[in-house]
Amino acid sequence: MREDWENKHIVFFDGECGVCNFWVQWIMERDKKDEFLFASLQSDFGQKFLSERGLERKQFKTLYLWKPHQYYLTKSRAVLRIAHILGGHYKLLSFFGKLMFPAVSDRIYDVVARNRMKIANQKCFLPTPHQRKKIIEV
């Protein structure tokens, strides 16, 4: 396991979801400051994260953003923080997103999560060598 993972923001995602894999690649391509690492919720690392917090370990509908020893966020709050960390016009987008009530933005997130398997095909994510370094326990 990477030694510097505790200094990064870790995105936990459903490793079997085409939509999730698309967004992981999207974040990787825009992570110019090398802020993020990624772990599937199905991995040992992901299962340990869920277990230690008493979170559901068999349903993978929720995206988690974890900054070790500081916080973890879920759903739309995680998405908005990712946008903020990416900076630039994504940071501006995160400010607009914060104007929406969390209950409303989480409802939108839940609708997408329920339908995500219908939205994108289930193709394999084949990371580049550089991207592979950003994944914890593939």
Side-chain angles (χ1 to χ4, degrees), residues 42-94:
Q42 293 91 336
S43 70
D44 291 341
F45 190 74
Q47 287 291 295
K48 182 178 180 201
F49 169 82
L50 295 171
S51 178
E52 287 175 349
R53 287 154 187 81
L55 300 169
E56 172 61 47
R57 294 178 46 207
K58 296 194 188 305
Q59 295 291 323
F60 306 114
K61 296 180 196 171
T62 301
L63 173 84
Y64 297 91
L65 177 65
W66 181 40
K67 179 69 173 179
H69 310 296
Q70 293 184 33
Y71 63 82
Y72 78 89
L73 302 170
T74 63
K75 299 182 178 185
S76 63
R77 287 175 201 87
V79 171
L80 292 173
R81 180 64 63 95
I82 290 167
H84 184 83
I85 294 165
L86 288 173
H89 56 280
Y90 305 113
K91 189 172 186 176
L92 182 61
L93 187 66
S94 76

Side-chain angles (χ1 to χ4, degrees), residues 29-43:
E29 290 169 4
R30 288 155 182 80
D31 183 18
K32 305 299 183 206
K33 296 181 267 176
D34 195 31
E35 295 280 339
F36 296 98
L37 293 175
F38 303 85
S40 76
L41 290 164
Q42 293 91 336
S43 70

